Every structure is written in structure tokens, then in C-alpha cells.
Amino acid sequence: MNEQRSVETSEWYERYYAAKGADRNDSHNPEVLFQELALHIAFTRSFADIDRQARILDVGGGGGSGCLRLISAGFDPAGLTNIDILPDRAKLAERNLPSSCTSICGDASNMESLSDGSFDAVMSVRQQDRAPVVVVENAGEARIDGF
């Protein structure tokens, strides 16, 4: 069942990026100014009280922009892990992120380390065709089957 869900999720994102373009949510795309401003506010509010040494998993992190935002806010890159189900997005994260960050290509719902204390917090940024939402949960309370 998990394998089927992984395939379906991967296929959905492949169709999304094919239709919207790989740079749809990229800060270098001039059409996303509103999203960038709203995302900055959402990050600032979501991470205001989180220790800068926290170990954070960015689920569906794409090219690593969420981890880069955390680094610019003072978070330790060695504590950040980016996971994306699409191989090309995970490879992009590897190129974009410092070597001290971890980048994984895989399905977060299959990660055993999500509930074993490996992470202090789990985050996910959602901004497909709407104002961005940053979801941050205590890793011990995060659900691996979605929000």
C-alpha cells in the first residue's frame, strides 16, 4: 500500500510541475512576489520560538528553498533534512544546499526516523496556487499519513 501511495504521489507532482513549470514557486520567478512575502511572514511566525539548533525535517522540500530560509534565519544547516519524492527535485536540493544539510529522495510517509526521535520538528510548505502555508509540528506528534 505504501509503495502504491508513493507512486501516486510522485506521479501527481510530476504532472503538477509539468503543467505549472518547475520554477512555479521559485523565488527567482518574478510572478511569485506575493507568495514570497506571505511565505516570509509565515516562516517568521512559525519558527519564532524554535531553537536554532533544532533538527528539522522539511517534507516535500523540493529544491531546498525551505531549508535555505531556515539557514538564513540562523538555523544550523547540520540539523536540517530535506526530503522530496521526485528525484530531480531532490538532486536540485543537493546542489542548492550546503553539504552539511541532508537531502533525501524518498517518500516521507515511509520514514521510520520520523517517529524515532531523529527530528525535533517536521515542516511542510504548501503553496500550490494559493497563499503559502507553513505547517510545523513536533516530530513526536507528526502524522506520517498527512496533515
Side-chain angles (χ1 to χ4, degrees), residues 1-2 5 9 59 107-111 114 122 137 141-147:
M1 169 113 171
N2 281 342
R5 181 173 45 192
T9 301
V59 175
D107 183 348
S109 69
N110 292 330
M111 287 185 68
L114 189 61
V122 178
E137 294 190 35
E141 299 171 5
R143 297 182 314 216
I144 61 173
D145 61 346
F147 295 103

PDB file of all heavy atoms in Angstrom, residues 1-2 5 9 59 107-111 114 122 137 141-147:
ATOM      1  N   MET A   1       0.824  -1.201   0.000  1.00  0.00           N
ATOM      2  CA  MET A   1       0.000   0.000   0.000  1.00  0.00           C
ATOM      3  C   MET A   1       0.862   1.257   0.000  1.00  0.00           C
ATOM      4  O   MET A   1       0.603   2.171  -0.754  1.00  0.00           O
ATOM      5  CB  MET A   1      -0.933  -0.021   1.201  1.00  0.00           C
ATOM      6  CG  MET A   1      -1.621   1.288   1.433  1.00  0.00           C
ATOM      7  SD  MET A   1      -3.352   1.162   1.145  1.00  0.00           S
ATOM      8  CE  MET A   1      -3.860   2.737   1.740  1.00  0.00           C
ATOM      9  N   ASN A   2       1.891   1.304   0.842  1.00  0.00           N
ATOM     10  CA  ASN A   2       2.755   2.475   0.873  1.00  0.00           C
ATOM     11  C   ASN A   2       3.437   2.700  -0.466  1.00  0.00           C
ATOM     12  O   ASN A   2       3.615   3.834  -0.880  1.00  0.00           O
ATOM     13  CB  ASN A   2       3.798   2.359   1.983  1.00  0.00           C
ATOM     14  CG  ASN A   2       3.215   2.691   3.335  1.00  0.00           C
ATOM     15  OD1 ASN A   2       2.164   3.320   3.428  1.00  0.00           O
ATOM     16  ND2 ASN A   2       3.890   2.251   4.374  1.00  0.00           N
ATOM     17  N   ARG A   5       0.986   4.332  -2.794  1.00  0.00           N
ATOM     18  CA  ARG A   5       0.806   5.739  -2.442  1.00  0.00           C
ATOM     19  C   ARG A   5       2.011   6.561  -2.883  1.00  0.00           C
ATOM     20  O   ARG A   5       1.855   7.672  -3.376  1.00  0.00           O
ATOM     21  CB  ARG A   5       0.572   5.890  -0.940  1.00  0.00           C
ATOM     22  CG  ARG A   5       0.351   7.346  -0.548  1.00  0.00           C
ATOM     23  CD  ARG A   5      -0.040   7.527   0.872  1.00  0.00           C
ATOM     24  NE  ARG A   5       0.787   6.716   1.755  1.00  0.00           N
ATOM     25  CZ  ARG A   5       0.529   6.507   3.017  1.00  0.00           C
ATOM     26  NH1 ARG A   5      -0.543   7.025   3.567  1.00  0.00           N
ATOM     27  NH2 ARG A   5       1.319   5.777   3.764  1.00  0.00           N
ATOM     28  N   THR A   9       1.713   9.645  -5.452  1.00  0.00           N
ATOM     29  CA  THR A   9       2.178  10.967  -5.039  1.00  0.00           C
ATOM     30  C   THR A   9       3.220  11.494  -6.017  1.00  0.00           C
ATOM     31  O   THR A   9       3.158  12.647  -6.454  1.00  0.00           O
ATOM     32  CB  THR A   9       2.766  10.927  -3.615  1.00  0.00           C
ATOM     33  OG1 THR A   9       1.752  10.455  -2.733  1.00  0.00           O
ATOM     34  CG2 THR A   9       3.253  12.291  -3.170  1.00  0.00           C
ATOM     35  N   VAL A  59       9.448  18.163   4.774  1.00  0.00           N
ATOM     36  CA  VAL A  59       8.753  17.171   3.953  1.00  0.00           C
ATOM     37  C   VAL A  59       8.277  17.820   2.665  1.00  0.00           C
ATOM     38  O   VAL A  59       7.620  18.846   2.673  1.00  0.00           O
ATOM     39  CB  VAL A  59       7.554  16.572   4.722  1.00  0.00           C
ATOM     40  CG1 VAL A  59       6.766  15.626   3.825  1.00  0.00           C
ATOM     41  CG2 VAL A  59       8.025  15.867   5.979  1.00  0.00           C
ATOM     42  N   ASP A 107       9.930   8.959  -0.016  1.00  0.00           N
ATOM     43  CA  ASP A 107       8.579   9.216   0.465  1.00  0.00           C
ATOM     44  C   ASP A 107       8.624   9.349   1.984  1.00  0.00           C
ATOM     45  O   ASP A 107       8.961   8.388   2.682  1.00  0.00           O
ATOM     46  CB  ASP A 107       7.678   8.060   0.048  1.00  0.00           C
ATOM     47  CG  ASP A 107       6.225   8.251   0.430  1.00  0.00           C
ATOM     48  OD1 ASP A 107       5.911   9.172   1.222  1.00  0.00           O
ATOM     49  OD2 ASP A 107       5.395   7.458  -0.058  1.00  0.00           O
ATOM     50  N   ALA A 108       8.323  10.512   2.499  1.00  0.00           N
ATOM     51  CA  ALA A 108       8.389  10.752   3.946  1.00  0.00           C
ATOM     52  C   ALA A 108       7.457   9.839   4.727  1.00  0.00           C
ATOM     53  O   ALA A 108       7.723   9.530   5.890  1.00  0.00           O
ATOM     54  CB  ALA A 108       8.074  12.216   4.255  1.00  0.00           C
ATOM     55  N   SER A 109       6.399   9.385   4.107  1.00  0.00           N
ATOM     56  CA  SER A 109       5.472   8.516   4.836  1.00  0.00           C
ATOM     57  C   SER A 109       6.090   7.154   5.122  1.00  0.00           C
ATOM     58  O   SER A 109       5.576   6.401   5.943  1.00  0.00           O
ATOM     59  CB  SER A 109       4.159   8.356   4.072  1.00  0.00           C
ATOM     60  OG  SER A 109       4.349   7.613   2.886  1.00  0.00           O
ATOM     61  N   ASN A 110       7.205   6.842   4.489  1.00  0.00           N
ATOM     62  CA  ASN A 110       7.898   5.580   4.736  1.00  0.00           C
ATOM     63  C   ASN A 110       9.100   5.734   5.655  1.00  0.00           C
ATOM     64  O   ASN A 110       9.854   4.791   5.850  1.00  0.00           O
ATOM     65  CB  ASN A 110       8.367   4.967   3.410  1.00  0.00           C
ATOM     66  CG  ASN A 110       7.199   4.520   2.553  1.00  0.00           C
ATOM     67  OD1 ASN A 110       6.153   4.153   3.060  1.00  0.00           O
ATOM     68  ND2 ASN A 110       7.382   4.588   1.256  1.00  0.00           N
ATOM     69  N   MET A 111       9.293   6.912   6.227  1.00  0.00           N
ATOM     70  CA  MET A 111      10.468   7.165   7.060  1.00  0.00           C
ATOM     71  C   MET A 111      10.245   6.694   8.490  1.00  0.00           C
ATOM     72  O   MET A 111       9.428   7.256   9.204  1.00  0.00           O
ATOM     73  CB  MET A 111      10.804   8.652   7.080  1.00  0.00           C
ATOM     74  CG  MET A 111      11.389   9.168   5.805  1.00  0.00           C
ATOM     75  SD  MET A 111      11.882  10.886   5.985  1.00  0.00           S
ATOM     76  CE  MET A 111      13.243  10.740   7.124  1.00  0.00           C
ATOM     77  N   LEU A 114      10.995   9.271  11.371  1.00  0.00           N
ATOM     78  CA  LEU A 114      10.053  10.355  11.671  1.00  0.00           C
ATOM     79  C   LEU A 114       9.543  10.257  13.098  1.00  0.00           C
ATOM     80  O   LEU A 114       9.308  11.266  13.752  1.00  0.00           O
ATOM     81  CB  LEU A 114       8.881  10.322  10.687  1.00  0.00           C
ATOM     82  CG  LEU A 114       7.916  11.494  10.727  1.00  0.00           C
ATOM     83  CD1 LEU A 114       8.632  12.800  10.409  1.00  0.00           C
ATOM     84  CD2 LEU A 114       6.786  11.282   9.746  1.00  0.00           C
ATOM     85  N   VAL A 122       8.963  18.757  12.313  1.00  0.00           N
ATOM     86  CA  VAL A 122       8.705  18.415  10.921  1.00  0.00           C
ATOM     87  C   VAL A 122       7.959  19.593  10.315  1.00  0.00           C
ATOM     88  O   VAL A 122       7.025  20.112  10.917  1.00  0.00           O
ATOM     89  CB  VAL A 122       7.850  17.135  10.804  1.00  0.00           C
ATOM     90  CG1 VAL A 122       7.542  16.830   9.352  1.00  0.00           C
ATOM     91  CG2 VAL A 122       8.544  15.966  11.475  1.00  0.00           C
ATOM     92  N   GLU A 137       5.230  20.898  13.048  1.00  0.00           N
ATOM     93  CA  GLU A 137       4.729  20.053  14.121  1.00  0.00           C
ATOM     94  C   GLU A 137       5.896  19.491  14.909  1.00  0.00           C
ATOM     95  O   GLU A 137       6.979  19.278  14.359  1.00  0.00           O
ATOM     96  CB  GLU A 137       3.914  18.887  13.550  1.00  0.00           C
ATOM     97  CG  GLU A 137       2.636  19.314  12.878  1.00  0.00           C
ATOM     98  CD  GLU A 137       1.746  18.128  12.552  1.00  0.00           C
ATOM     99  OE1 GLU A 137       1.723  17.158  13.337  1.00  0.00           O
ATOM    100  OE2 GLU A 137       1.093  18.167  11.521  1.00  0.00           O
ATOM    101  N   GLU A 141       4.688  14.218  17.362  1.00  0.00           N
ATOM    102  CA  GLU A 141       3.242  14.296  17.134  1.00  0.00           C
ATOM    103  C   GLU A 141       2.882  14.296  15.653  1.00  0.00           C
ATOM    104  O   GLU A 141       1.713  14.263  15.305  1.00  0.00           O
ATOM    105  CB  GLU A 141       2.697  15.558  17.783  1.00  0.00           C
ATOM    106  CG  GLU A 141       2.908  15.587  19.292  1.00  0.00           C
ATOM    107  CD  GLU A 141       2.571  16.936  19.903  1.00  0.00           C
ATOM    108  OE1 GLU A 141       2.096  17.831  19.192  1.00  0.00           O
ATOM    109  OE2 GLU A 141       2.798  17.091  21.110  1.00  0.00           O
ATOM    110  N   ALA A 142       3.877  14.371  14.777  1.00  0.00           N
ATOM    111  CA  ALA A 142       3.607  14.439  13.336  1.00  0.00           C
ATOM    112  C   ALA A 142       3.015  13.121  12.869  1.00  0.00           C
ATOM    113  O   ALA A 142       3.407  12.046  13.298  1.00  0.00           O
ATOM    114  CB  ALA A 142       4.884  14.751  12.568  1.00  0.00           C
ATOM    115  N   ARG A 143       2.068  13.230  11.948  1.00  0.00           N
ATOM    116  CA  ARG A 143       1.459  12.041  11.368  1.00  0.00           C
ATOM    117  C   ARG A 143       2.131  11.770  10.035  1.00  0.00           C
ATOM    118  O   ARG A 143       2.261  12.671   9.216  1.00  0.00           O
ATOM    119  CB  ARG A 143      -0.030  12.250  11.158  1.00  0.00           C
ATOM    120  CG  ARG A 143      -0.769  12.476  12.464  1.00  0.00           C
ATOM    121  CD  ARG A 143      -2.231  12.632  12.183  1.00  0.00           C
ATOM    122  NE  ARG A 143      -2.439  13.537  11.079  1.00  0.00           N
ATOM    123  CZ  ARG A 143      -3.454  14.389  11.003  1.00  0.00           C
ATOM    124  NH1 ARG A 143      -4.337  14.440  11.964  1.00  0.00           N
ATOM    125  NH2 ARG A 143      -3.592  15.185   9.981  1.00  0.00           N
ATOM    126  N   ILE A 144       2.514  10.552   9.788  1.00  0.00           N
ATOM    127  CA  ILE A 144       3.183  10.258   8.530  1.00  0.00           C
ATOM    128  C   ILE A 144       2.203  10.038   7.386  1.00  0.00           C
ATOM    129  O   ILE A 144       2.608   9.916   6.254  1.00  0.00           O
ATOM    130  CB  ILE A 144       4.123   9.031   8.649  1.00  0.00           C
ATOM    131  CG1 ILE A 144       3.344   7.781   9.027  1.00  0.00           C
ATOM    132  CG2 ILE A 144       5.242   9.322   9.628  1.00  0.00           C
ATOM    133  CD1 ILE A 144       4.172   6.515   9.005  1.00  0.00           C
ATOM    134  N   ASP A 145       0.915  10.038   7.673  1.00  0.00           N
ATOM    135  CA  ASP A 145      -0.069   9.827   6.613  1.00  0.00           C
ATOM    136  C   ASP A 145      -0.718  11.131   6.167  1.00  0.00           C
ATOM    137  O   ASP A 145      -1.737  11.120   5.505  1.00  0.00           O
ATOM    138  CB  ASP A 145      -1.143   8.844   7.062  1.00  0.00           C
ATOM    139  CG  ASP A 145      -1.922   9.333   8.272  1.00  0.00           C
ATOM    140  OD1 ASP A 145      -1.474  10.293   8.923  1.00  0.00           O
ATOM    141  OD2 ASP A 145      -2.977   8.752   8.551  1.00  0.00           O
ATOM    142  N   GLY A 146      -0.117  12.261   6.490  1.00  0.00           N
ATOM    143  CA  GLY A 146      -0.636  13.539   6.034  1.00  0.00           C
ATOM    144  C   GLY A 146      -1.041  14.416   7.190  1.00  0.00           C
ATOM    145  O   GLY A 146      -0.979  14.039   8.342  1.00  0.00           O
ATOM    146  N   PHE A 147      -1.441  15.641   6.852  1.00  0.00           N
ATOM    147  CA  PHE A 147      -1.797  16.630   7.871  1.00  0.00           C
ATOM    148  C   PHE A 147      -3.280  16.599   8.158  1.00  0.00           C
ATOM    149  O   PHE A 147      -4.066  16.310   7.326  1.00  0.00           O
ATOM    150  CB  PHE A 147      -1.400  18.033   7.408  1.00  0.00           C
ATOM    151  CG  PHE A 147       0.082  18.166   7.281  1.00  0.00           C
ATOM    152  CD1 PHE A 147       0.672  18.139   6.041  1.00  0.00           C
ATOM    153  CD2 PHE A 147       0.864  18.273   8.401  1.00  0.00           C
ATOM    154  CE1 PHE A 147       2.039  18.251   5.937  1.00  0.00           C
ATOM    155  CE2 PHE A 147       2.237  18.378   8.296  1.00  0.00           C
ATOM    156  CZ  PHE A 147       2.822  18.366   7.043  1.00  0.00           C
TER     157      PHE A 147
END
